[in-house]
């Protein structure tokens, strides 16, 4: 053990998977002890807790993922859990389907709406029972650009 | 001689159409059909344009003040360069391509070679899938060229870009020899990768005007007249791959200094020293080539082979004016490092890349202070280089302290940093004007 302690931390470079970042200094020298003496690390049984990586959890396809915050007055999707100030995670690699919640550009404005696509008709629907916003219809050259499908909405509570 | 058992090499070149302009369009759907130009630092010259602009007679490198009135009158929208955003999209482009090939070579900010050797499928269809996926995921339009050598892949890409009938994907490998030759006969030799204007003139004077003539040239004669480089080009045109995929980046487009650490480095101080070293090395190389950088790219990563989750970050910043000054480059690189650094990571590699290089003669000085000491800095850098040349690299070097700076630069037409700044994200409910 004393031998291991003299090795500066940065020489550690073969750390096992599943080693928590926080626990690194503690398990670190035990590992060296294991490595230098040829025995398995005595800490092995405790190394099963991995640090949860929130970014990896939320971002499945990094090159296709973009973030859109929702404006402070934007309340047309609150029944779907998209509140003013929510942060939307948009994944462009997800298929745009009837019923998908999408970020779209209409008349020069960024919107988040539910896509309605049936019988050759395309509409964007809101979800706010109280205010009952009418659907946006696309006729006669009105352009719809769908940026991508909203995968998550993150709501800040505190 | 290639052994019969190994499959014939196949390369693809994927290239973003009008990269900077396409990035500017990503969050401006209103501009999807509008002609766009992007201007150099301090809004000096046109450095990128969509094809509609070219059709209007505005040339690359033209000073913006000369053409601004005319351009605006016909509806051209101009942007200051937003290298931070372009780098973010470049990363997305490269990452998307990695889904399609085991090995890729990032050739420049908007071009990648991919190794498609041994894939038993319809390559043209695969190229189309690559193109569609990049568009879907990143919103960037690209063209794909496929061939049995890098030179052919690059040429196929050019054909895909210029000839609309290919729909953005041109696969030389699926063509018959006769079909390919008929196509090559219609292309001028200067379209070939590595054949510059001077070579093209000399080749023309020898009667070699089209690519097919060059392909059929006697390799030995080409070597005697032009050297081994052009001889290899001839071989590559014949489908004999002479150039492998490399991780090296074309020297005239970017200058890079990076190295793996002898032992893992975890402390910020350790990384600061490494980054300062690379900034100094890269800037010295820049001066050797008599170039000035307009942007600094810095990266840190742990080893993908370590049994730990991969950690890699990179950031890019535009410089207020083109510079070859070690002090300024180091300041920029260290500032990026501060922003990227995460503790408790055992870093294995770090590096600095200088981008958007311009020749000394073409540089612009800004009005905000960077130019006044330029002469002094120039002679100081020359002195440093001389000392280092004589007494060894890095004999004279920076202490690397005090790197706060406001990066004042004239970028009046700059779009927001839509992908890399929490305060500048596109917002639902807002109008997407500038």
């Amino acid at each position: 053990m004393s031998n291991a302690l003299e090795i500066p931390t940065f020489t550690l470079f073969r750390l096992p998977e599943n080693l928590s970042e926080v626990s690194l200094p503690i398990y670190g020298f035990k590992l060296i002890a294991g490595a230098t003496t040829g025995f398995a690390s005595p800490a092995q049984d405790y190394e099963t807790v991995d640090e949860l990586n929130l970014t990896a959890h939320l971002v499945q396809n990094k090159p296709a993922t973009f973030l859109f915050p929702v404006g402070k007055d934007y309340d047309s999707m609150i029944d779907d859990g998209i509140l003013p100030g929510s942060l939307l995670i948009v994944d462009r690699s997800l298929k745009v389907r009837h019923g998908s919640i999408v970020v779209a550009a209409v008349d020069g404005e960024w919107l988040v709406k539910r896509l309605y696509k049936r019988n050759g008709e395309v509409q964007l629907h809101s979800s706010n029972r109280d205010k009952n916003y009418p659907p946006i219809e696309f006729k006669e050259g009105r352009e719809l650009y769908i940026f991508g499908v909203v995968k998550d909405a993150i709501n800040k509570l505190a | 001689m290639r052994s019969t058992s190994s499959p014939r090499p196949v390369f693809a070149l994927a290239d973003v159409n009008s990269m900077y302009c396409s990035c500017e369009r990503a969050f401006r759907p209103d501009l999807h059909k509008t002609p766009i130009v992007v201007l150099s630092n301090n809004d000096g010259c046109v450095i990128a344009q969509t094809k509609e602009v070219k059709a209007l007679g505005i040339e690359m490198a033209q000073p913006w003040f000369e053409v601004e009135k005319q351009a605006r009158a016909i509806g051209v929208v101009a942007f200051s360069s937003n290298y931070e955003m372009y780098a973010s999209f470049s990363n997305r482009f490269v990452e998307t391509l990695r889904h399609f090939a085991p090995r890729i070579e990032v050739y420049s900010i908007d071009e990648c070679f991919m190794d498609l050797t041994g894939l038993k499928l319809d390559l043209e269809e695969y190229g189309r899938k690559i193109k569609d996926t990049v568009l879907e995921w990143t919103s960037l339009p690209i063209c794909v060229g496929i061939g049995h050598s890098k030179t052919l892949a690059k040429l196929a890409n050019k054909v895909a870009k210029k000839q609309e009938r290919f729909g953005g994907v041109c696969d030389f490998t699926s063509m018959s020899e006769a079909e390919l030759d008929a196509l090559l006969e219609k292309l001028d030799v200067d379209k070939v990768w590595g054949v510059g204007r001077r070579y093209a003139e000399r080749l023309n004077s020898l009667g070699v005007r089209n690519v097919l003539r060059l392909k059929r040239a006697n390799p030995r004669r080409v070597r005697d007249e032009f050297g081994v480089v052009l001889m290899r080009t001839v071989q590559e045109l014949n489908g004999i791959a002479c150039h492998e995929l490399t991780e090296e980046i074309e020297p005239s487009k970017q200058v890079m200094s990076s190295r793996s650490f002898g032992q893992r480095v975890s402390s910020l101080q350790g990384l600061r020293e490494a980054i300062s070293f690379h900034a100094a090395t890269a800037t010295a190389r820049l001066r050797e080539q008599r170039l000035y950088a307009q942007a600094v790219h810095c990266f840190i990563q742990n080893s993908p082979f370590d049994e730990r989750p991969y950690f890699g970050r990179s950031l890019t910043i535009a410089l207020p004016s083109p510079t070859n000054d070690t002090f300024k480059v180091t300041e920029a690189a260290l500032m990026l490092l501060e922003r990227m650094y995460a503790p408790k990571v055992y870093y294995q590699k770090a590096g600095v890349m200088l981008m958007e290089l311009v020749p000394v003669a073409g540089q612009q000085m800004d009005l905000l202070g960077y130019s006044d000491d330029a002469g002094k800095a120039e002679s100081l850098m020359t002195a440093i280089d001389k000392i280092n040349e004589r007494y060894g690299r890095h004999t004279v070097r920076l202490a690397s302290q005090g790197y706060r700076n406001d990066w004042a630069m004239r970028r009046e037409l700059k779009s927001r940093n839509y992908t890399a700044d929490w305060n500048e994200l596109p917002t639902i409910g807002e109008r997407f004007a500038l």
Side-chain angles (χ1 to χ4, degrees), chain B residues 251-267:
Chain B
S252 62
K253 288 196 175 174
Q254 279 126 356
V255 171
M256 167 113 131
S257 173
S258 78
R259 198 180 288 176
S260 299
F261 300 130
Q263 45 190 276
R264 301 296 192 270
V265 173
S266 182
S267 71

Side-chain angles (χ1 to χ4, degrees), chain B residues 12-16 93 97 110-112 114 130 142-144 157:
Chain B
L13 182 77
D15 175 311
V16 182
F93 165 61
L97 296 182
D110 59 355
E111 277 175 286
C112 286
M114 308 166 73
I130 295 171
I142 68 166
C143 283
V144 179
N157 181 280

Side-chain angles (χ1 to χ4, degrees), chain B residues 201-264:
Chain B
E201 277 170 15
R202 276 176 66 196
L203 285 166
N204 283 346
S205 72
L206 294 169
V208 181
R209 293 184 183 279
N210 65 57
V211 180
L212 181 62
R213 281 297 305 273
L214 184 62
K215 176 183 168 181
R216 296 206 171 140
N218 180 333
R220 256 184 237 160
R221 278 197 56 196
V222 171
R223 188 191 58 198
D224 295 342
E225 287 276 332
F226 295 90
V228 71
V229 176
L230 199 66
M231 183 193 76
R232 290 211 184 100
T233 301
V234 171
Q235 290 176 315
E236 287 232 315
L237 285 174
N238 282 282
I240 302 160
C242 302
H243 302 296
E244 299 274 326
L245 281 194
T246 49
E247 278 185 290
E248 275 188 33
I249 289 160
E250 196 189 16
S252 62
K253 288 196 175 174
Q254 279 126 356
V255 171
M256 167 113 131
S257 173
S258 78
R259 198 180 288 176
S260 299
F261 300 130
Q263 45 190 276
R264 301 296 192 270

Side-chain angles (χ1 to χ4, degrees), chain B residues 285-387:
Chain B
R285 274 182 208 156
L286 192 70
R287 289 194 293 267
E288 273 166 29
Q289 297 187 40
R290 302 186 175 280
L291 292 168
Y292 286 50
Q294 303 190 84
V296 177
H297 174 86
C298 185
F299 70 88
I300 50 178
Q301 63 183 59
N302 68 1
S303 168
F305 303 110
D306 279 357
E307 291 173 1
R308 300 225 71 205
Y310 174 69
F311 179 95
R313 283 188 187 166
S314 64
L315 277 178
T316 308
I317 190 169
L319 296 162
S321 71
T323 187
N324 64 4
D325 182 334
T326 301
F327 292 90
K328 281 163 188 160
V329 170
T330 308
E331 275 175 33
L334 290 176
M335 197 183 79
L336 296 178
L337 172 65
E338 292 269 314
R339 285 211 224 156
M340 295 189 288
Y341 176 76
K344 299 189 183 109
V345 175
Y346 293 85
Y347 295 96
Q348 180 252 353
K349 199 173 182 185
V352 171
M353 185 157 78
L354 304 179
M355 294 165 26
E356 304 303 324
L357 308 185
V358 290
V360 176
Q363 68 159 320
Q364 312 245 331
M365 289 299 185
D366 68 335
L367 303 169
L368 296 166
Y370 250 65
S371 47
D372 56 1
D373 62 348
K376 258 186 269 170
E378 189 97 40
S379 41
L380 177 58
M381 289 305 129
T382 311
I384 290 176
D385 286 355
K386 281 203 174 129
I387 294 169

Side-chain angles (χ1 to χ4, degrees), chain A residues 10 19 65 69 71 92 107 110, chain B residues 92 136 263 308 428-429 431:
Chain A
F10 55 75
L19 187 68
T65 299
R92 288 179 56 104
D107 301 336
W110 289 116
Chain B
R92 289 167 186 270
E136 195 179 301
Q263 45 190 276
R308 300 225 71 205
I428 302 297
R431 307 197 64 80

Side-chain angles (χ1 to χ4, degrees), chain A residues 120-132:
Chain A
E121 214 174 320
V122 174
Q123 298 178 348
L124 293 179
H125 290 182
S126 298
S127 60
N128 181 332
R129 258 160 293 172
D130 298 336
K131 298 211 174 166
N132 209 7

